[in-house]
């Protein structure tokens, strides 16, 4: 549907008009999302999609929701959370005050997962978690902390596999077909919009987690974002990526050392 | 016709079917072979290890941004969709499952057909469900070569049958014929 050049033009004009830059995203995934969007909204060419996007404000909001991949889970990849719990939390505990950045937090499941483990380790009270995303609607869901009850069975299994010490249901109340996560988890979380492709560093952190976000970027943007993380970490700060995101193919390899090869947890070296 | 890549979609019953084919491929097979084998979400690299033990050709899991090389068999990692970029490198995505599957055959085949067009060979082997049927349609529409394992011979006939029902499968083959086709095209 539509060729490469047309797609490029569309992304360029979106960047120009709305300031959202998708030109450095991995093209295959963007293309797939746009094709999907065109089918559900009955557009038969990129041109007509482009016209509508540039004319109708509200429509663009809808498009943005669709073009980014927001799929997430609580305790996604349990072995990662297990490693975080067993190998990383001890390091965090040595700081009097712990600042954490979750970049690409989507609808927040990951943020609450981390908050739960921090609480179980007695660290939540002296932590602040900055949870950011480009997608405002996803952030709003994250703030509310309300999730479909049908997902909780899978999340509970993840939580147990990750080494959770209580019952996940201790952290939420169920109502109709939703659950509401424990409000007190949220006290030390700041939700905010931040665009990794455009915005700058805003603090210094002991831990940055950016999982399943970089896979959607091309190499150049990946490198830029890794630099941004490097700048935003304290000496010996920890960087956690998704389990298929290594710094292997990035040119910034020398700036980090592996802490956990399998779970893609790195430490800033100098 | 100068083919550039082979993509294979396979699900239940795949291990035996695949190893029967892959173990015949020479180390210098002329094309890359990119495979979606449905696998448990939590499995990390067992499939690649088991397969490598049986085969001469190099087997590996597709890595993010990795350049696609000939003479290598790539498997999609568990719980990720596998996509192909115009510059012949891999992209991964954790978007929603398609046909209850992540990785999904449809997702790979559609992306591959956009990149390779008529220089692509797509095969559907044994499996339950219908993942791959839409993918085969896309490959065929762009002039690629489409093949399905004969459902009569497949451990699980549904997946090849669904592909065949699209009317877009050109050849319906027995396992030895599948192997011979690959050897004829890329075996030298
Ligand atoms: C697949 S989700 C990852 C959620 C969670 N980290 C996980 O691993 O499950 C990817 C998120 O990255 C966000 N994202 C995409 N581009 C971004 C950008 N330029 N800046 C910040 N966030 C971005 C998307 O909106 C989406 O919520």
């Amino acid at each position: 549907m539509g060729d490469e050049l047309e797609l490029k033009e569309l992304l360029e004009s979106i960047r120009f008009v709305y300031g959202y830059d998708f030109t450095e995203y991995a093209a295959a995934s963007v293309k797939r999302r746009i094709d999907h969007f065109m089918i559900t909204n009955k557009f038969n060419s990129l041109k007509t999609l482009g016209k509508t996007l540039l004319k109708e404000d509200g429509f663009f909001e809808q498009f943005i929701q669709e073009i980014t991949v927001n799929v997430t889970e609580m305790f996604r990849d349990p072995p990662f959370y297990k490693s975080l719990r067993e190998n990383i939390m001890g390091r965090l505990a040595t700081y009097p005050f712990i600042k954490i950045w979750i970049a690409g937090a989507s609808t927040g499941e990951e943020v609450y997962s981390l908050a739960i483990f921090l609480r179980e380790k007695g660290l939540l009270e002296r932590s602040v978690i900055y949870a950011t995303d480009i997608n405002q609607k996803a952030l709003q869901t994250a703030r509310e902390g309300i999730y479909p009850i049908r997902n909780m069975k899978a999340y509970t299994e993840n939580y147990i596999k990750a080494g959770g010490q209580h019952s996940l249901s201790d952290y939420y109340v169920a109502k109709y077909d939703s659950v509401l996560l424990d409000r007190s988890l949220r006290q030390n979380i700041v939700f905010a919009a931040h665009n990794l492709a455009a915005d700058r560093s805003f603090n210094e952190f002991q831990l940055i987690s950016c999982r399943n976000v970089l896979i959607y970027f091309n190499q150049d943007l990946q490198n830029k974002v890794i630099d941004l993380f490097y700048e935003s970490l304290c000496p010996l700060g920890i960087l956690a990526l998704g389990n298929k995101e290594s710094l292997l193919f990035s040119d910034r390899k020398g700036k980090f050392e592996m802490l956990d090869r399998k779970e893609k947890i790195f430490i800033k070296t100098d | 016709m100068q083919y550039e890549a082979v993509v294979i979609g396979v699900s239940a019953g795949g291990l035996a079917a695949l190893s029967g084919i892959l173990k015949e491929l020479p180390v210098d097979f002329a094309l890359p072979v990119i495979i979606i084998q449905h696998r448990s979400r939590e499995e990390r690299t067992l499939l690649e290890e088991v397969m490598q033990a049986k085969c001469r050709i190099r087997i590996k899991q597709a890595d993010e941004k990795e350049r696609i090389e000939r003479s290598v068999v790539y498997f999609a990692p568990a719980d990720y969709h596998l996509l192909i970029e115009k510059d012949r490198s891999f992209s991964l995505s954790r978007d929603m499952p398609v046909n209850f599957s992540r990785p999904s055959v449809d997702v790979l085949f559609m992306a591959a057909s956009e990149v390779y067009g008529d220089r692509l060979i797509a095969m559907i082997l044994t499996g339950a469900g219908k993942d791959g049927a839409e993918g085969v349609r896309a490959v065929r529409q762009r002039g690629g070569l489409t093949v399905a394992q004969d459902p009569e011979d497949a451990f699980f006939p549904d997946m090849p049958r669904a592909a065949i029902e699209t009317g877009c499968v050109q050849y319906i083959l027995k396992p030895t014929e599948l192997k011979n086709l690959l050897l004829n095209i890329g075996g030298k």
Side-chain angles (χ1 to χ4, degrees), chain A residues 32, chain B residues 81 95-107 131:
Chain A
R32 183 170 175 266
Chain B
H81 290 304
D95 209 340
M96 286 302 203
V98 173
N99 306 314
F100 311 102
S101 310
R102 186 172 59 211
S104 146
V105 182
D106 279 349
V107 172
D131 193 21

Side-chain angles (χ1 to χ4, degrees), chain A:
Chain A
M1 235 179 256
D3 69 2
E4 222 182 330
L5 198 72
E6 274 184 47
L7 180 65
K8 243 184 153 157
E9 277 171 15
L10 178 73
L11 297 182
E12 282 296 345
S13 52
I14 287 174
R15 181 164 76 129
F16 188 67
V17 176
Y18 292 102
Y20 281 97
D21 189 356
F22 293 108
T23 60
E24 293 189 302
Y25 280 48
S29 176
V30 171
K31 177 84 175 34
R32 183 170 175 266
R33 299 298 322 168
I34 291 183
D35 282 351
H36 183 79
F37 184 82
M38 284 172 60
I39 291 167
T40 47
N41 291 280
K42 303 201 167 51
F43 284 98
N44 46 27
S45 80
L46 276 174
K47 279 227 165 62
T48 49
L49 171 66
K51 274 192 193 141
T52 314
L53 276 178
L54 299 181
K55 271 198 311 231
E56 293 178 28
D57 259 10
F59 192 68
F60 180 72
E61 274 304 304
Q62 206 183 320
F63 177 75
I64 284 291
Q65 311 307 326
E66 287 290 321
I67 196 170
T68 55
V69 175
N70 299 298
V71 184
T72 183
E73 287 171 32
M74 286 187 84
F75 299 98
R76 185 183 217 176
D77 307 317
F80 166 77
Y81 280 93
K82 201 175 175 82
S83 180
L84 196 68
R85 192 183 172 103
E86 290 171 3
N87 307 322
I88 304 303
M89 296 234 166
R91 284 176 187 267
L92 294 180
T94 63
Y95 296 99
F97 185 58
I98 307 164
K99 282 185 286 181
I100 298 172
W101 179 14
I102 300 186
S106 191
T107 41
E109 286 85 338
E110 192 185 25
V111 187
Y112 291 108
S113 307
L114 183 63
I116 286 170
F117 271 10
L118 286 169
R119 166 155 301 164
E120 291 183 4
K121 291 284 184 184
L123 299 175
L124 186 60
E125 304 316 314
R126 55 184 160 110
S127 305
V128 177
I129 306 175
Y130 295 84
T132 64
D133 202 280
I134 191 183
N135 187 323
Q136 295 276 8
K137 198 170 151 209
L139 276 177
Q140 189 50 36
T141 306
R143 258 180 220 113
E144 283 160 9
I146 298 171
Y147 302 109
I149 203 164
R150 63 170 186 278
N151 295 344
M152 296 320 283
K153 187 166 166 280
Y155 295 173
T156 299
E157 281 167 23
N158 285 354
Y159 169 78
I160 293 166
K161 282 184 196 149
Q165 306 246 294
H166 296 261
S167 157
L168 188 58
S169 58
D170 293 348
Y171 298 101
Y172 62 79
V173 287
K175 203 170 179 192
Y176 307 112
D177 48 6
S178 301
V179 303
L180 172 64
L181 288 189
D182 184 346
R183 300 257 141 188
S184 70
L185 290 172
R186 238 178 35 183
Q187 271 166 12
N188 298 16
I189 306 175
V190 179
F191 293 98
H194 182 280
N195 182 349
L196 289 168
D199 298 337
R200 310 188 45 128
S201 174
F202 57 94
N203 213 323
E204 192 180 80
F205 303 94
Q206 279 78 43
L207 167 66
I208 297 177
S209 165
C210 182
R211 310 187 66 239
N212 305 301
V213 179
L214 294 181
I215 44 173
Y216 302 106
F217 296 169
N218 75 12
Q219 185 96 59
D220 286 344
L221 184 53
Q222 286 186 348
N223 284 340
K224 271 189 245 173
V225 174
I226 294 287
D227 284 347
L228 174 69
F229 291 156
Y230 184 82
E231 264 174 56
S232 311
L233 280 169
C234 70
L236 300 179
I238 308 287
L239 176 62
L241 303 178
N243 66 18
K244 288 297 287 178
E245 297 162 325
S246 55
L247 291 164
L248 198 69
F249 295 91
S250 131
D251 312 332
R252 308 312 196 255
K253 212 167 141 188
K255 295 181 166 181
F256 295 92
E257 251 169 54
M258 285 274 185
L259 273 187
D260 184 331
R261 176 178 301 276
K262 268 199 166 148
E263 303 311 327
K264 302 296 182 303
I265 302 175
F266 304 85
I267 182 163
K268 174 171 164 173
T269 47
D270 54 62

Side-chain angles (χ1 to χ4, degrees), chain B residues 54-121:
Chain B
K54 299 181 178 182
C55 299
R56 284 170 294 156
I57 190 168
R58 179 159 180 243
I59 311 262
K60 77 179 292 297
Q61 188 167 108
D63 274 311
E64 206 258 322
K65 302 277 185 282
E66 178 175 16
R67 242 170 220 298
I68 299 168
E69 309 274 2
R70 61 164 69 174
S71 317
V72 183
V73 174
Y74 299 96
F75 281 96
D79 212 25
Y80 289 82
H81 290 304
L82 184 62
L83 300 164
I84 297 177
E85 299 288 344
K86 288 270 190 272
D87 68 359
R88 273 81 174 148
S89 64
F90 289 117
S91 274
L92 300 176
S93 162
R94 290 190 117 174
D95 209 340
M96 286 302 203
V98 173
N99 306 314
F100 311 102
S101 310
R102 186 172 59 211
S104 146
V105 182
D106 279 349
V107 172
L108 171 72
F109 280 19
M110 285 182 192
S113 75
E114 298 215 7
V115 169
Y116 296 114
D118 60 0
R119 295 154 70 89
L120 180 69
I121 302 166

Side-chain angles (χ1 to χ4, degrees), chain B residues 130-172:
Chain B
K130 62 178 181 56
D131 193 21
E134 285 313 307
V136 159
R137 194 196 298 278
V139 172
R140 192 61 213 117
Q141 275 170 358
R142 289 187 165 77
L145 181 76
T146 52
V147 184
Q149 181 177 7
D150 189 339
E152 300 279 307
D153 283 319
F155 268 128
F156 292 85
D158 285 6
M159 225 164 84
R161 192 170 284 144
I164 292 163
E165 278 165 8
T166 63
C168 295
V169 169
Q170 293 166 285
Y171 299 96
I172 299 168

